[in-house]
Amino acid sequence: MELCSLTGLKGKVSVPGDKSISHRCIMFGSIADGITEVRNFLQGADCLATIRCFRTLGIDIEEKNSAVIVHGRGLHGLSAPNDILDVGNSGTTTRLLSGILAGQSFESKLSGDESLNSRPMKRIIDPLTQMGANISSILRNGCAPLYITPGRLHGIHYDSPVASAQVKSCLLLAGLYAEGETSVAEPSLSRNHTELMLREFGADIRTTHALDSTKATASIRPCRELYGQKITVPGDISSAAYFIAAGLIVPDSEILIENVGINPTRAGILKVCEDMGGDITLLNVRTEGGEKLADILVKTSRLHGITIEGDIIPTLIDEIPVIAVMAAVAEGTTVIKDAAELKVKETDRIETVTDNLKAMGCNVTPTSDGMIISGGSLKGASIHTLLDHRIAMAFSIAALVADGKTKILDSKCVDVSYPTFYDTFEHLL
Ligand code: S3P
């Protein structure tokens, strides 16, 4: 994909359904009793991998009148797969599904693409093993492919060293099949879609976020059954982030992004943009199915550098590539700290972001847990995405304000979370 600078992005867009929520609708719907009907499901490669896995586990999932219909078979209704479960590029599929599979009476194997099979799985293998699960890394390198055989699970309290919704959700899902209570504490609150949605499905879930402590805890007790739901997935704030950034940094722009999920555990980017001086207004704020939504109006603004650190990091972890792009054209210096988790995403995003920013002429220094970015101007370059969807999209936004042409290599990787990303621009020109 070749892109060059432009001005005056104007109009309304809506972004596809939230990736995290779309995955969970399929998973929870599959182990619930009855039908789960999902509207605005994200048809991205990651969520399609989740559908593929549950079909392999015997669940009938169909598309009807633009909804995805999951014919749930109950907590114990999955059947033994006759093939290895292909999780593609999706960390969420791998880690959440492992929690469910750990509680089944059959054995299974999961494997993904090269990037997925190099991401850390010890973070779920260790606590699942403490719960009595039999899960191992087939190559004994702490990564997928994973092999899971039946085990008798019992609840534990797990003090997670990382704020990770995938680890938390994996253990809560295993907790559905465990004897007694399972609880997970995390250093700061990660996205809470599992807690909100499992409760809607009828699970016995409790959460505490003590004001006098930085720890957040979620606990679950096994229940007899979950109940199918009707869900409309909100627009994904992680996808909206590219148009928020475009609206703020492309001269003479005004963009309205409709129906975006603004769950506080996901909405850190809104605060960061405001702190950087961005003109952002939330319109029509409402709550649907336990999730907060709004239309987001952004206007071109003069941005300045800030420090981004601490508890806000898990609430914007996937948006850091595009935040870094905004910082690269803001006035002054932006420091991003406490974000070592970036190293274990689809690529090492400290490296992929800083290498590509440098290629565009930015003065940026990678650190052990983030980066330091001196704002200035950008020039067109060839962007090495390393097949990371968020790098492709973040640097497509950088291209809109860079001097000269930018080539996004392997831009097709946007299919992972936003197959229609490049088409959305058509609405703004
Ligand atoms: C996700 C959790 C986050 C996020 C990922 C989706 C989820 O990962 O980066 O894109 O749906 O639970 P971690 O749990 O590894 O932080």
Side-chain angles (χ1 to χ4, degrees):
M1 174 69 64
E2 270 197 3
L3 299 158
C4 56
S5 72
L6 43 82
T7 57
L9 294 175
K10 304 233 179 219
K12 273 189 204 169
V13 294
S14 48
V15 291
D18 187 274
K19 180 156 83 71
S20 294
I21 295 178
S22 295
H23 280 298
R24 285 160 173 80
C25 291
I26 302 299
M27 295 183 183
F28 305 169
S30 295
I31 56 171
D33 274 292
I35 285 177
T36 290
E37 186 182 304
V38 191
R39 302 209 166 261
N40 202 32
F41 176 80
L42 169 63
Q43 299 280 347
D46 269 16
C47 299
L48 296 177
T50 292
I51 290 191
R52 186 168 62 228
C53 289
F54 278 89
R55 283 188 176 140
T56 307
L57 291 162
I59 302 297
D60 180 14
I61 302 170
E62 47 168 356
E63 275 187 61
K64 222 187 209 165
N65 305 330
S66 72
V68 173
I69 312 287
V70 183
H71 296 265
R73 299 189 55 194
L75 282 163
H76 300 281
L78 299 177
S79 34
N82 51 17
D83 205 351
I84 193 155
L85 295 160
D86 176 7
V87 294
N89 190 244
S90 176
T92 307
T93 312
T94 312
R95 297 198 178 106
L96 272 62
L97 180 55
S98 296
I100 295 175
L101 292 173
Q104 305 304 314
S105 57
F106 51 78
E107 60 174 58
S108 50
K109 284 183 186 157
L110 280 88
S111 185
D113 67 12
E114 201 183 317
S115 150
L116 187 282
N117 285 355
S118 66
R119 295 179 67 183
M121 293 301 152
K122 214 169 125 45
R123 53 178 60 196
I124 57 160
I125 295 175
D126 287 351
L128 282 176
T129 305
Q130 284 176 35
M131 290 179 76
N134 293 312
I135 172 167
S136 58
S137 158
I138 292 175
L139 302 177
R140 295 173 200 272
N141 60 358
C143 300
L146 299 174
Y147 178 44
I148 302 172
T149 60
R152 235 184 116 91
L153 304 188
H154 53 83
I156 58 165
H157 173 72
Y158 187 63
D159 218 339
S160 177
V162 281
S164 160
Q166 293 179 359
V167 171
K168 172 175 62 179
S169 306
C170 166
L171 302 183
L172 293 174
L173 287 165
L176 282 171
Y177 297 94
E179 209 180 290
E181 183 179 273
T182 300
S183 58
V184 187
E186 46 184 354
S188 33
L189 182 62
S190 65
R191 64 192 66 193
N192 62 357
H193 305 300
T194 295
E195 296 91 305
L196 294 178
M197 202 191 292
L198 266 184
R199 192 176 291 138
E200 298 280 314
F201 273 81
D204 180 4
I205 246 191
R206 274 152 232 236
T207 52
T208 57
H209 193 185
L211 288 174
D212 57 347
S213 110
T214 48
K215 296 228 167 181
T217 306
S219 55
I220 195 164
R221 286 181 174 279
C223 55
R224 261 219 217 123
E225 55 190 334
L226 301 175
Y227 305 95
Q229 300 291 307
K230 277 193 177 168
I231 303 165
T232 301
V233 180
D236 196 330
I237 191 164
S238 298
S239 299
Y242 305 105
F243 296 97
I244 295 174
L248 293 177
I249 66 176
V250 172
D252 194 26
S253 298
E254 181 166 335
I255 305 179
L256 181 69
I257 313 154
E258 294 180 304
N259 301 323
V260 184
I262 54 160
N263 176 322
T265 64
R266 295 288 299 285
I269 183 160
L270 299 177
K271 168 138 197 338
V272 159
C273 290
E274 276 168 16
D275 291 352
M276 291 178 86
D279 183 346
I280 292 199
T281 316
L282 296 185
L283 303 167
N284 196 13
V285 178
R286 59 217 186 258
T287 302
E288 284 170 25
E291 294 281 353
K292 220 167 144 188
L293 275 88
D295 302 334
I296 303 175
L297 179 67
V298 282
K299 294 182 189 166
T300 307
S301 307
R302 258 178 95 99
L303 301 182
H304 56 81
I306 58 167
T307 295
I308 307 168
E309 61 185 333
D311 286 349
I312 198 168
I313 294 292
T315 73
L316 47 70
I317 191 75
D318 292 343
E319 289 67 75
I320 289 180
V322 77
I323 290 172
V325 165
M326 290 192 282
V329 294
E331 222 173 274
T333 303
T334 294
V335 181
I336 301 174
K337 291 185 202 173
D338 303 322
E341 277 293 298
L342 288 175
K343 293 187 195 163
V344 292
K345 295 298 176 186
E346 286 81 333
T347 56
D348 173 342
R349 287 185 180 154
I350 294 184
E351 204 173 280
T352 39
V353 168
T354 57
D355 284 354
N356 283 308
L357 280 180
K358 276 183 196 160
M360 296 188 87
C362 173
N363 178 359
V364 54
T365 311
T367 63
S368 60
D369 66 349
M371 59 196 83
I372 303 167
I373 302 164
S374 297
S377 56
L378 296 177
K379 60 179 168 59
S382 271
I383 300 302
H384 294 266
T385 61
L386 306 186
L387 299 175
D388 184 335
H389 56 133
R390 301 217 183 274
I391 298 300
M393 293 187 278
F395 282 87
S396 296
I397 303 306
L400 304 181
V401 291
D403 206 17
K405 270 192 190 156
T406 294
K407 194 167 181 184
I408 310 287
L409 303 173
D410 300 309
S411 59
K412 186 93 179 86
C413 63
V414 302
D415 281 1
V416 161
S417 64
Y418 198 163
T420 54
F421 174 69
Y422 291 106
D423 305 330
T424 308
F425 282 101
E426 313 271 312
H427 298 280
L428 298 172
L429 297 172

